[in-house]
């Protein structure tokens, strides 16, 4: 597999940590030219660069499928884990339990999440694992050449032209129902919206879902597919325009009051939503579900931030684990010692 | 009629109804024997049901210290009408049939070769126990009190046990002691001298303990430094993680009262192992506990952990298979499915504890092995060991012992590297490579973990030579594992013996006694207890040195025999027909007499 050139232009812009955008890149993609997933990888790169994340403090995990290949294409200085089909959430859960101090980005596909991995997906959401879960959703199985997935809309045609007879699973609606604290939907063809979505998701403490419609140019970019570029562009409705403002006191004091809605993130960052007629209270689960259902009935795809709740406890807080990463504890802190053991022995005599 | 007479050598069987509270009463009896210093082996034989079905509790008392099942019952406490006739019929001639005569025995109960001991348990309870809610529970305690008198046991041991048991709920101690006294006094008055069986204080047990294997395994995980457990409830492994959870809540808190352990009840077995694998990848000592059906589900991730070389511990408490089998009965039938779990060429390190002490020691060791070898390690126990109490020596922990974390590069070591680092480079030639934890270094040490074929630098490859190199290195690691796992326990009883016997895990108890029986009949056998897989060279040597070797185990197909043949069969002096299977598979622990008889029969039959 080819690697990108080592050469760096000396004047590349640097972020607060002194890293350039190149420091967040990975290997060259081997996905099909025009694949929506590559756009999402680039959005992740840009989001991490703009957030000034230390690349090596990110752990990137995935399952199996075209989408799950993408962690190789971003954050080359991070540890990656390409696990097995649909099991990424449990691997990420264990990794998070071992070291709560890293930033976890899970990448999955619609087959990987909504079928074989549905069980693990919903339980990661309900446990509120502190991770960003990005679904690259193209409504089909790419690696096995175009079969319908569980997110393909009923009636939409697959590559072979047959209409899908079954209802689609809406991952965003499921996540909201399960109590996920951050739920958003983006479109790989709308980077202006997608990058701040990913940035806000990463900064959210707890489980954050970013479901990204990402057309499969080879098997599912037909006019009759509801996951094609042109269909999504023609039927996309955004909740509201918004900014994500990272924690910078001099900036967070500048936002304007009025009709806009602002949500403070746990680290002091701010999601600043500029309301429009179609906006709703993003902190309300019911409003999010109503809005999703409303646009579904209209045959439209609602994108943007759908729900945010920064007050939820993440898994570590719920379980009251120590604030020190468990993988860093020493034998002295873990082993109760022989005297204690002999006390225990006495109880079994 | 010749009544059975014995001091400290007999078998009592309790026939009860599941969910009637009998288990704690029966356990009180077994514990009293133990506290009198007499080796005792209680076994709970229970149905996969919460309430209403028949359940048995068998207590073998044996001063010589043989703690496997003996076969046959000398004394039956029959308080289950559903099985009354069966319990009556199966009692050994000369034995004692103790029953609740609130309802009299039917006419067909007319054996003349046993002693019948009728006691109005229900009537006594109804008359003497004021609280109606406690009557059915304390009826069981009444018969325990009666046994104390019938077996001439030191009554204070019972009352002391009750006092200790209810130290935090003293109000409950009084009615229990009253029930004990009711039974004791009734039996003393009505049955004086009727029973020839006796439990006398002994010095055979000194500082021994009585503990179940699952608790011991959990303690091993605590002392071994496990911090993450992902699990899904399944009998008979459930209490491993429940105990770990309980113990760590008590013994592993930081200064602010927060826990130094994460225990997650997963949505299924796949996720349970996934959590442990993810934690192992990220540098925590992690484990899961399950049984055969769970191992089946975990195959996929076991293969991933093997090929990606992630340390993780799996505790398999075996039960009866295949499929759902008999969920609450014991067997050793996961041997092959554990050894070769998952598709492709995979092999896993297995440890076979025989008692709680080894559950503790191997439990702790398993984490050292997993991290040293960067591979899954399975502690293969069974229901008999996991859920029943066993007498064993107390555990010790060397406070100077440090955890073997294996080949892990920290930030300073990565900085000091003067050459290229590759996750799967075999720098030391032992097949075990150097790994890094995520987040260690800003520039060095990051790699991609993947279950697809990878080269020495963890890069995806479908290059045939690179794949072959990887698989051959894993084979080298397997050879390294042979030098690190526990050696077999070999006992040469007779230098000239042409025959040997192999056993492992809980089969050891009955097999050891069977060998003693055979020796007393003039047939000495040397023995080897296998404690781990891969097999050390001494395992092959033991087989080679004998003309025939019996393999005693608890499954139909002789799975350990198959594993031995598969791994060692091509070596000089090791032919398949030399290994003779002595299989026991009815879901109960094997007994010494059956093993002894099977060996004798095979010898007469001219087995090679």
């Amino acid at each position: 597999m080819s690697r990108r050139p080592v050469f760096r232009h000396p004047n590349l812009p640097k972020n607060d940590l002194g890293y350039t955008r190149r420091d967040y890149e990975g290997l060259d993609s081997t996905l099909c030219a025009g694949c929506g997933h590559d756009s999402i990888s680039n959005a992740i790169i840009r989001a991490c660069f703009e957030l000034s994340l230390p690349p090596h403090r990110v752990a990137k995990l995935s399952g199996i499928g075209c989408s799950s290949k993408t962690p190789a294409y971003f954050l080359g200085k991070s540890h990656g884990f390409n696990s097995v089909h649909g099991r990424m959430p449990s691997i990420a859960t264990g990794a998070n339990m071992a070291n709560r101090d890293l930033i976890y980005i899970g990448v999955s596909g619609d087959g990987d999440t909504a079928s074989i991995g549905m069980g693990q997906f919903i339980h990661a959401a309900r446990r509120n694992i502190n991770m960003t879960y990005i679904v690259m959703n193209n409504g089909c199985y790419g690696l096995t050449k175009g079969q319908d997935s569980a997110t393909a809309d009923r009636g939409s045609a697959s590559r072979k032209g047959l209409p899908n007879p079954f209802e689609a699973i809406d991952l965003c609606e499921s996540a909201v129902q399960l109590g996920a604290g951050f739920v958003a939907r983006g479109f790989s063809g709308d980077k202006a919206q997608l990058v701040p979505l990913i940035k806000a998701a990463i900064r959210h403490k707890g489980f954050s879902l970013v479901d990204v419609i990402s057309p499969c140019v080879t098997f599912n970019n037909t006019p009759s597919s509801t996951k094609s570029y042109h269909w999504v562009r023609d039927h996309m409705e955004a909740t509201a325009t918004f900014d994500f403002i990272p924690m910078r006191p001099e900036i967070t004091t500048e936002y304007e009051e009025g009709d806009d809605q602002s949500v403070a993130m746990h680290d002091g960052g701010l999601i600043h939503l500029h309301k429009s007629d179609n906006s709703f209270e993003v902190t309300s689960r019911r409003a999010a579900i109503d809005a999703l259902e409303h646009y579904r009935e209209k045959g439209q795809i609602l994108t943007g931030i759908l729900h945010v709740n920064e007050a939820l406890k993440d898994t570590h807080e719920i379980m009251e684990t120590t604030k020190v990463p468990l993988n860093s504890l020493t034998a002295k802190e873990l082993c109760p010692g022989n005297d204690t053991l002999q006390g225990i022995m006495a109880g079994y005599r | 009629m010749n009544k059975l007479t014995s001091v400290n050598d007999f078998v009592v069987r309790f026939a009860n109804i599941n969910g009637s509270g009998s288990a704690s009463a029966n356990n009180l009896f077994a514990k009293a024997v133990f506290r009198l210093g007499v080796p005792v082996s209680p076994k709970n034989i229970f149905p996969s049901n919460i309430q209403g079905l028949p359940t048995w509790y068998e207590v073998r008392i044996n001063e010589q210290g043989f703690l496997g099942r003996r076969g046959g019952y000398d004394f039956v406490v029959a308080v289950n009408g559903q099985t009354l006739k069966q319990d009556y019929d199966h009692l050994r001639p000369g034995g004692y049939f103790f029953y609740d005569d609130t309802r009299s025995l039917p006419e067909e109960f007319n054996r003349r070769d046993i002693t019948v001991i009728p006691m109005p348990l229900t009537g006594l309870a109804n008359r003497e126990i004021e609280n109606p809610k406690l009557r059915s529970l304390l009826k069981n305690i009444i018969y325990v009190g009666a046994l104390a008198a019938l077996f001439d046991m030191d009554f204070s041991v019972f009352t002391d046990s009750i006092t200790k048991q209810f130290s935090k709920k003293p109000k409950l101690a009084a009615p229990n002691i009253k029930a004990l006294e009711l039974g004791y006094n009734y039996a003393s008055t009505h049955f004086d001298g009727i029973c020839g069986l006796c439990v006398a204080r002994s010095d055979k047990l000194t500082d021994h303990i009585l503990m179940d294997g699952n608790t011991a395994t959990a303690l091993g995980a605590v002392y071994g430094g496990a911090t993450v457990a992902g699990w899904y409830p399944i009998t008979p492994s459930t209490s491993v993680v429940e105990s770990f959870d309980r113990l760590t809540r008590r013994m592993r808190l930081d200064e602010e009262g927060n826990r130094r352990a994460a225990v997650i009840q997963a949505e299924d077995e796949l996720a349970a192992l996934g959590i442990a694998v993810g934690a192992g990848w990220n540098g925590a000592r992690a484990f899961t506990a399950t049984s055969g059906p769970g191992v089946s589900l975990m195959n996929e991730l076991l293969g991933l952990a093997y090929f990606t070389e992630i340390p993780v511990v799996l505790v398999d408490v075996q039960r009866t298979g295949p499929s759902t089998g008999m969920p609450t009965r014991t067997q050793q039938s996961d041997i092959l499915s554990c050894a070769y779990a998952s598709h492709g060429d995979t092999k896993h390190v297995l440890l076979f504890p025989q008692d709680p002490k080894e559950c503790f020691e191997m439990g702790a060791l398993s984490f050292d092995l997993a991290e040293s070898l960067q591979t899954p390690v399975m502690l293969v126990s069974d229901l008999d060991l996991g859920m029943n109490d066993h007498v064993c020596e107390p555990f010790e922990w060397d406070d100077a012992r440090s955890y073997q974390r294996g080949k892990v590069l920290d930030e300073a070591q990565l900085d000091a590297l003067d050459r290229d680092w590759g996750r799967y480079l075999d720098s030391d030639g032992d097949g075990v490579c150097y790994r890094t934890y995520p987040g260690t270094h800003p520039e060095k040490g990051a790699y991609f973990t993947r279950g697809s074929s990878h080269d020495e630098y963890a890069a995806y490859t479908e290059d045939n030579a690179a794949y072959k190199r990887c698989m051959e290195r894993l084979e080298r690691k397997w050879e390294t594992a042979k030098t690190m796992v526990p050696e077999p326990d070999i006992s040469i009883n007779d230098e000239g013996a042409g025959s040997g016997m192999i056993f492992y895990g809980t089969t050891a108890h009955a097999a050891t006694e069977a060998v003693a029986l055979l020796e007393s009949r003039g047939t000495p056998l040397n023995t080897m207890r296998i404690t781990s897989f891969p097999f050390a060279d001494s395992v092959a040597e033991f087989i080679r040195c004998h003309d025939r070797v019996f393999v005693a185990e608890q499954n139909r197909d002789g799975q350990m025999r198959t594993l031995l043949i598969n791994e060692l069969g091509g070596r000089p002096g090791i032919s398949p027909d030399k290994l003779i299977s002595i299989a026991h598979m009815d879901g109960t622990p094997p007994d010494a007499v059956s093993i002894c008889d099977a060996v004798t029969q095979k010898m007469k039959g001219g087995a090679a």
Side-chain angles (χ1 to χ4, degrees):
Chain A
M1 197 177 291
S2 66
R3 291 173 186 267
R4 290 172 194 271
V6 179
F7 171 74
R8 298 282 185 274
H9 192 283
N11 294 331
L12 276 177
K14 293 180 178 176
N15 62 16
D16 293 349
L17 295 179
Y19 288 110
T20 70
R21 191 179 176 285
R22 284 288 175 89
D23 291 311
Y24 294 84
E25 292 176 348
L27 302 173
D28 286 340
S29 172
T30 60
L31 299 174
C32 306
C35 178
H37 298 359
D38 284 332
S39 302
I40 303 171
S41 294
N42 286 327
I44 294 170
I45 289 167
R46 198 171 134 193
C48 293
F49 167 71
E50 290 180 2
L51 286 173
S52 292
L53 300 182
H56 74 293
R57 301 298 291 174
V58 178
K60 48 186 185 175
L61 303 102
S62 63
I64 292 287
C66 292
S67 60
S68 292
K69 288 182 171 189
T70 62
Y73 314 142
F74 58 82
L75 293 169
K77 292 178 179 176
S78 305
H79 275 66
F81 196 140
N82 189 191
S83 64
V84 286
H85 209 189
R87 319 293 179 229
M88 177 273 284
S90 65
I91 303 284
T93 299
N96 189 297
M97 290 301 99
N99 185 354
R100 61 190 296 171
D101 284 354
L102 299 185
I103 298 153
Y104 294 93
I105 298 177
V107 176
S108 183
D110 41 299
D112 197 61
T113 290
S115 288
I116 189 168
M118 191 64 180
Q120 297 212 347
F121 164 70
I122 63 176
H123 286 276
R126 67 175 269 270
R127 288 190 195 104
N128 207 20
I129 295 294
N130 189 8
M131 69 178 292
T132 299
Y133 192 117
I134 297 172
V135 179
M136 300 182 175
N137 189 346
N138 57 20
C140 76
Y141 285 74
L143 275 182
T144 50
K145 302 193 175 179
Q147 297 80 14
D148 282 334
S149 83
T151 64
D153 290 291
R154 184 156 64 89
S156 74
S158 67
R159 173 188 169 222
K160 292 182 177 173
L162 298 173
N164 173 30
F166 301 113
E167 281 296 333
I169 290 173
D170 187 323
L171 294 171
C172 289
E173 202 169 322
S174 299
V176 172
Q177 285 175 336
L178 290 160
F182 184 101
V183 179
R185 176 169 287 144
F187 172 45
S188 65
D190 185 358
K191 191 176 284 185
Q193 183 197 48
L194 184 57
V195 172
L197 278 182
I198 293 173
K199 285 163 70 174
I202 289 172
R203 280 302 184 211
H204 170 74
K205 178 198 67 179
F207 187 84
S208 55
L209 171 69
V210 185
D211 178 32
V212 190
I213 308 298
S214 173
C216 172
V217 289
T218 302
F219 297 117
N220 206 21
N221 199 31
T222 58
S224 51
S225 165
T226 59
K227 297 286 193 293
S228 63
Y229 276 114
H230 47 274
W231 198 95
V232 177
R233 285 202 174 104
D234 289 348
H235 296 81
M236 195 168 95
E237 186 66 54
T239 54
T241 56
F242 75 96
D243 300 327
F244 170 68
I245 305 166
M247 181 175 61
R248 292 192 185 94
E250 68 277 16
I251 294 175
T252 55
T253 56
E254 290 176 3
Y255 75 90
E256 295 175 6
E257 297 292 340
D259 289 334
D260 295 349
Q261 187 182 1
S262 298
V263 180
M265 310 294 277
H266 75 283
D267 66 349
L270 202 71
I271 297 172
H272 192 184
L273 292 121
H274 309 284
K275 280 191 177 178
S276 59
D277 290 344
N278 57 25
S279 66
F280 56 91
E281 293 292 330
V282 293
T283 52
S284 162
R285 285 167 67 173
R286 178 179 293 181
I289 290 170
D290 282 350
L292 282 163
E293 286 295 315
H294 173 72
Y295 286 97
R296 188 183 65 78
E297 286 169 6
K298 287 174 66 177
Q300 291 184 306
I301 300 169
L302 185 62
T303 62
I305 290 184
L306 304 171
H307 179 59
V308 183
N309 182 354
E310 282 295 301
L312 296 174
K313 290 180 175 178
D314 78 351
T315 315
H316 280 287
E317 290 170 325
I318 293 166
M319 294 181 15
E320 297 179 335
T321 48
T322 186
K323 293 185 174 60
V324 181
L326 291 172
N327 70 350
S328 68
L329 296 175
T330 62
K332 194 178 172 190
E333 292 162 308
L334 296 173
C335 183
N338 192 48
D339 286 348
T340 303
L341 185 62
Q342 295 318 307
I344 295 169
M345 292 297 99
Y348 288 90
R349 292 202 171 96
Chain B
M1 177 185 67
N2 289 325
K3 285 184 181 181
L4 292 173
T5 57
S6 173
V7 178
N8 293 348
D9 187 11
F10 59 95
V11 177
V12 184
R13 192 179 220 218
F14 299 81
N16 297 104
I17 299 167
N18 212 28
S20 63
S22 57
S24 55
N26 301 339
N27 184 256
L28 173 66
F29 171 74
K31 202 162 264 181
V33 178
F34 167 75
R35 286 177 176 157
L36 284 167
V38 183
V40 62
S41 174
K43 296 198 189 301
N44 199 358
I45 300 162
F46 60 105
S48 179
N49 190 56
I50 303 300
Q51 282 189 340
L53 288 181
T55 180
W56 290 273
Y57 191 85
E58 198 174 298
V59 180
R60 183 174 185 196
I61 298 158
N62 182 267
E63 187 147 15
Q64 284 181 277
F66 289 125
L67 296 174
R69 290 180 85 208
R70 187 202 64 186
Y73 320 115
D74 305 315
F75 193 107
V76 169
V77 177
V79 287
N80 181 4
Q82 295 174 67
T83 62
L84 204 64
K85 188 70 167 72
Q86 175 188 340
D87 299 321
Y88 183 85
D89 289 344
H90 288 176
L91 183 63
R92 288 179 76 198
Y96 304 87
F97 187 75
F98 177 99
Y99 73 104
D100 182 356
D101 81 334
T102 307
R103 296 175 73 178
S104 57
L105 285 178
E107 283 183 8
E108 66 267 27
F109 286 65
N110 53 11
R111 285 178 67 173
R112 294 180 181 280
D113 61 343
I114 61 172
T115 300
V116 174
I117 306 176
M119 184 163 164
L121 293 171
T122 306
L124 266 176
N126 289 346
R127 196 167 62 243
E128 303 290 341
I129 308 293
E130 290 163 13
N131 186 342
K133 288 181 185 170
L134 287 178
R135 280 176 193 153
S136 63
L137 290 173
L138 293 180
K139 190 169 75 174
N140 302 316
I141 303 294
I142 292 173
Y143 70 61
V144 172
L147 294 184
L150 286 161
F151 300 147
D152 199 17
M153 297 168 75
D154 181 348
F155 189 64
S156 66
V157 174
F158 291 85
T159 51
D160 288 350
S161 289
I162 289 287
T163 306
K164 192 174 175 184
Q165 184 182 342
F166 294 108
S167 60
K168 288 178 183 169
K169 297 176 184 171
K171 282 185 179 175
L172 287 175
N176 275 278
I177 288 173
K178 181 184 175 183
L180 273 174
E181 288 170 345
L182 271 174
Y184 188 85
N185 293 336
Y186 186 95
S188 300
T189 308
H190 294 82
F191 309 132
D192 187 29
I194 199 171
C195 183
L197 306 175
C198 174
V199 181
R201 192 176 284 278
S202 169
D203 58 359
K204 291 294 179 191
L205 303 179
T206 50
D207 62 345
H208 290 71
I209 60 162
L210 187 67
M211 186 190 276
D212 65 271
N214 283 354
T215 302
T217 302
L219 265 173
V222 173
Y223 275 76
T227 52
V228 178
W231 73 295
Y232 188 73
I234 180 171
T235 302
S237 73
T238 301
S239 57
V240 174
V241 184
E242 285 182 339
S243 297
F244 178 78
D245 192 28
R246 177 176 48 81
L247 289 163
T248 51
R249 280 177 193 279
R250 211 172 70 204
M251 306 195 304
R252 279 263 197 88
L253 301 178
D254 67 12
E255 295 73 17
E256 296 171 353
N258 291 316
R259 300 186 63 189
R260 286 177 169 143
V263 181
I264 296 187
Q265 183 181 323
E267 54 272 28
D268 55 36
E269 283 90 345
L270 290 78
L273 183 58
I275 288 164
V277 168
W281 171 72
N282 213 359
R285 294 197 144 191
F287 77 104
T288 188
T290 190
S291 189
V295 173
S296 295
L297 289 167
M298 292 173 178
N299 263 243
E300 179 192 45
L301 279 161
L302 281 167
L304 177 81
Y306 172 80
F307 198 44
T308 56
E309 302 178 59
I310 294 172
V312 66
V313 171
L314 187 157
V315 178
D316 175 27
V317 188
Q318 299 170 99
R319 67 188 211 188
T320 310
S323 190
T324 310
M326 293 193 286
T328 58
R329 307 303 163 107
T330 197
Q331 213 166 55
Q332 293 175 315
S333 52
D334 298 346
I335 305 303
L336 290 170
S337 65
C338 285
Y340 301 126
S342 192
H343 53 275
D345 292 324
T346 49
K347 287 186 186 186
H348 301 292
V349 174
L350 312 181
L351 302 172
F352 304 110
Q354 68 164 345
D355 62 15
K357 189 174 190 342
E358 288 192 348
C359 284
F360 172 74
E361 291 171 349
M362 290 181 176
L365 173 70
S366 61
F367 294 97
D368 281 352
L369 287 174
E371 289 206 307
S372 297
L373 292 163
Q374 296 178 21
T375 198
V377 171
M378 296 189 224
L379 182 78
V380 185
S381 167
D382 63 30
L383 181 144
D384 177 25
L385 175 52
M387 293 187 73
N388 287 323
D389 281 343
H390 294 259
V391 170
C392 69
E393 291 178 356
F395 314 159
E396 295 280 342
W397 185 262
D398 179 2
D399 286 331
R401 175 175 168 171
S402 60
Y403 297 148
Q404 304 299 309
R405 303 301 309 259
K407 298 181 183 179
V408 181
L409 297 172
D410 61 20
E411 187 174 10
Q413 289 168 318
L414 282 167
D415 268 332
L417 279 183
D418 57 359
R419 60 188 171 84
D420 200 11
W421 170 79
R423 166 68 181 96
Y424 299 113
L425 273 174
D426 188 5
S427 310
D428 302 331
D430 59 1
V432 184
C433 309
Y434 288 83
R435 68 176 183 140
T436 57
Y437 300 158
T440 300
H441 194 286
E443 301 293 333
K444 296 179 177 178
Y447 67 96
F448 213 97
T449 301
R450 46 165 56 88
S452 46
S453 177
H454 39 264
D455 66 13
E456 285 80 352
Y457 295 88
Y460 172 73
T461 181
E462 291 184 21
D463 179 72
N464 313 93
Y467 169 79
K468 192 162 172 276
R469 283 199 306 275
C470 179
M471 293 302 286
E472 285 170 348
R473 181 180 55 74
L474 288 171
E475 216 170 14
R476 278 201 297 284
K477 183 155 81 169
W478 188 247
E479 291 300 314
T480 302
K482 285 180 186 171
T483 67
M484 298 174 77
V485 296
E487 285 278 331
D489 182 4
I490 294 172
S491 179
I492 304 298
N493 300 319
D494 185 335
E495 289 287 350
S499 299
M501 185 183 283
I502 289 174
F503 43 80
Y504 59 98
T506 53
T507 304
H509 305 296
T512 306
E513 186 177 1
V515 169
L517 273 171
L518 285 161
E519 189 166 14
S520 70
R521 296 176 190 177
T523 310
L525 263 70
N526 297 324
T527 64
M528 176 169 67
R529 180 170 67 89
I530 291 176
T531 56
S532 61
F533 178 67
F535 300 125
D537 288 341
S538 49
V539 173
E541 185 61 15
F542 181 88
I543 298 169
R544 196 187 63 73
C545 289
H546 291 88
D547 300 328
R548 57 185 164 191
V549 180
F550 299 96
V551 186
E553 54 185 319
Q554 300 171 47
N555 52 63
R556 184 189 67 183
D557 294 340
Q559 293 194 23
M560 181 61 83
R561 176 180 177 273
T562 301
L563 194 60
L564 287 164
I565 291 168
N566 196 48
E567 295 291 321
L568 309 173
R571 298 193 186 189
I574 302 179
S575 61
D577 57 358
K578 197 181 214 184
L579 293 161
I580 303 155
S581 185
I582 304 291
H584 172 90
M585 59 154 185
D586 68 1
T588 62
D591 66 82
V593 173
S594 299
I595 293 174
C596 180
D597 290 348
V599 169
T600 305
Q601 197 175 357
K602 301 258 182 188
M603 282 181 158
K604 280 181 186 166

